[in-house]
Amino acid sequence: MKVSVKNCEKIKNGYLVEVEPKDILYIDGKGGQLGDRGKIEEAQILEVKESGVVVDRELEYGEYEVKIDYIRQEDIACQHTAQHMFSAIAYNDYKLNTVGFRMAEEYTTVDLDSNEITEEVIEELERKANEVIKKAIQLKIFIMNNEEARKIEGLRKAIKEKVVGDVRFVEIPGVDLGACAGFHVENTKDIQLFKIINHEKIKGNYIRFYFLAGERALKDYSFKHKLSKDLCHVFSCKDYEIMEMLDKTLDEKKKIESEYKNLASQYVEFLANKLLKESEIVGEYQPIFYFGDSTVAQFLGKFMGEKNILITGFNNNFSIIAQNFNCKDFIQYLIKEKSTLKGGGNQIKGNFKGDIEEKELKKLLVEYIER
């Protein structure tokens, strides 16, 4: 299959190429579906737009061989047919209308017009979808002229007014009939498996469903099966005991954290005395620096006096606390002197982050005080 490159323009994420014929590749987002990928000679196709094809390198005017990724097309066909099937079951059996559909590289979403769908109904939706797959229903794809197409009654989704010319229909006999120009499987058995992986309320009135079909669902099952086995090994338990063991571990973690905080609060008094003895007076202030455990740092502030400036840090995240010192102004000074830092605060406390050595931070604080 060949295309002619008519124009090539450098854009932000690659090169926008105008090709003839224009309809050789499926456009991203058309009908909610993902677009084609592949190569134009050695140039990778990154996106297909109405205005042209985005590729990863410049192409001269001329004729090129196009290699479409048909494995990707099969995956898209599987997800798209699964969406028709799911939306049809939701409408036919529960009077739930599909008000949104989006296919992504990782999953597909369908928005249904209700915010009160029970877990029981959700389980039924998934089960009924897999029953349709097992029935191995042969799809029918046919084209009708526009006038005749608009006479068909009872379509789950009305034909849009902007559609002109012939209309392409996709039918899952006994399940769904609708106008669609996208990719679809030949038989429902080709979908193999349908799995709802999540659902959430959106915009207050709808529920968004996330699903996987075909190889995506099988790969997801394989990953989660391995994850389950690994967790069983970690906890030395059966798969049905994982949540119980996890709850037990989290409870133990909370207990240990509580005991550690108690020990840290007792240790801080000795640490504060040590830091105060070792620190130097700068002008009217006595700066204290601690770049260690973040839990210990939380308790240091209550042992500081009116003339102390406490700066703590952990993993390039810093805090400053002082009673009679303008923390906000100092942070602004820091950012001015070292542009890689970011932060803010108020008169008595603030936070800043970035890559700065303890020695340099101390030097900048002394310089600020002695201005």
Side-chain angles (χ1 to χ4, degrees), residues 67-339:
K67 298 176 182 176
I68 294 175
D69 185 345
Y70 289 109
I71 294 176
R72 175 187 170 85
Q73 274 194 2
E74 289 174 7
D75 171 62
I76 292 170
C78 183
Q79 310 309 315
H80 203 155
T81 307
Q83 179 268 314
H84 278 226
M85 179 179 67
F86 174 75
S87 292
I89 294 167
Y91 177 75
N92 295 338
D93 295 358
Y94 304 97
K95 303 305 177 187
L96 296 168
N97 292 292
T98 293
V99 293
F101 157 56
R102 180 178 177 271
M103 192 186 301
E105 299 291 347
E106 299 83 17
Y107 51 75
T108 301
T109 63
V110 172
D111 302 337
L112 298 182
D113 64 345
S114 174
N115 61 1
E116 296 181 350
I117 304 176
T118 66
E119 290 296 326
E120 182 182 7
V121 168
I122 292 170
E123 290 177 7
E124 288 176 0
L125 283 166
E126 181 176 283
R127 177 178 55 78
K128 289 180 178 181
N130 283 296
E131 286 175 356
V132 171
I133 292 170
K134 287 191 291 184
K135 288 179 180 177
I137 302 171
Q138 192 74 18
L139 271 69
K140 295 180 180 179
I141 297 176
F142 56 92
I143 295 172
M144 297 180 67
N145 68 57
N146 201 286
E147 184 180 350
E148 291 298 319
R150 293 187 182 279
K151 292 178 181 178
I152 297 177
E153 297 180 355
L155 293 177
R156 174 174 56 83
K157 189 175 180 181
I159 301 170
K160 294 180 180 179
E161 290 299 322
K162 66 180 181 180
V163 175
V164 296
D166 292 344
V167 180
R168 179 176 182 263
F169 283 94
V170 175
E171 182 181 9
I172 307 174
V175 179
D176 189 46
L177 172 64
C180 184
F183 303 148
H184 288 278
V185 299
E186 294 182 358
N187 191 296
T188 59
K189 67 181 174 64
D190 299 330
I191 300 173
Q192 302 179 83
L193 178 67
F194 178 88
K195 182 63 184 174
I196 296 171
I197 56 171
N198 195 17
H199 62 277
E200 61 181 351
K201 291 183 179 181
I202 61 164
K203 301 176 184 176
N205 297 314
Y206 307 134
I207 293 183
R208 173 166 293 167
F209 288 86
Y210 298 75
F211 75 77
L212 302 171
E215 289 298 320
R216 293 190 190 189
L218 294 171
K219 286 178 181 177
D220 182 68
Y221 173 78
S222 179
F223 166 74
K224 287 173 180 172
H225 176 66
K226 183 180 183 304
L227 180 62
S228 176
K229 284 179 63 179
D230 290 344
L231 288 171
C232 288
H233 178 72
V234 169
F235 291 125
S236 299
C237 67
K238 302 294 184 181
D239 55 1
Y240 56 83
E241 298 173 324
I242 290 174
M243 290 308 300
E244 180 184 342
M245 295 300 294
L246 180 60
D247 288 339
K248 183 179 178 182
T249 302
L250 291 174
D251 287 341
E252 290 174 353
K253 179 175 178 287
K254 287 179 182 178
K255 183 180 178 182
I256 291 169
E257 286 175 346
S258 177
E259 291 174 351
Y260 175 68
K261 281 187 177 181
N262 185 43
L263 288 171
S265 66
Q266 295 176 44
Y267 164 70
V268 162
E269 185 173 358
F270 298 101
L271 176 64
N273 289 330
K274 179 176 181 293
L275 293 173
L276 286 166
K277 287 178 182 178
E278 294 175 351
S279 64
E280 298 178 359
I281 304 295
V282 181
E284 61 178 301
Y285 300 103
Q286 186 182 15
I288 303 295
F289 295 88
Y290 175 72
F291 300 99
D293 185 85
S294 58
T295 303
V296 171
Q298 292 175 17
F299 298 104
L300 270 174
K302 64 181 180 180
F303 294 98
M304 297 296 108
E306 292 183 1
K307 297 301 181 181
N308 290 128
I309 301 168
L310 174 64
I311 296 180
T312 60
F314 185 75
N315 286 343
N316 290 337
N317 286 280
F318 304 89
S319 295
I320 180 169
I321 301 173
Q323 293 182 38
N324 297 297
F325 179 80
N326 194 328
C327 296
K328 180 180 179 180
D329 190 60
F330 172 62
I331 292 173
Q332 290 174 347
Y333 173 79
L334 273 181
I335 294 170
K336 182 180 177 182
E337 295 297 316
K338 194 168 179 64
S339 60

Side-chain angles (χ1 to χ4, degrees), residues 27-79:
I27 298 168
D28 279 279
K30 183 179 178 183
Q33 182 181 291
L34 293 170
D36 273 321
R37 294 294 183 269
K39 289 184 177 182
I40 300 178
E41 292 291 353
E42 295 305 313
Q44 291 282 350
I45 297 170
L46 305 177
E47 185 180 0
V48 184
K49 300 172 171 280
E50 290 276 2
S51 55
V53 182
V54 180
V55 294
D56 67 347
R57 65 192 68 186
E58 188 174 8
L59 293 173
E60 301 291 336
Y61 292 21
E63 194 171 73
Y64 294 88
E65 187 74 25
V66 176
K67 298 176 182 176
I68 294 175
D69 185 345
Y70 289 109
I71 294 176
R72 175 187 170 85
Q73 274 194 2
E74 289 174 7
D75 171 62
I76 292 170
C78 183
Q79 310 309 315

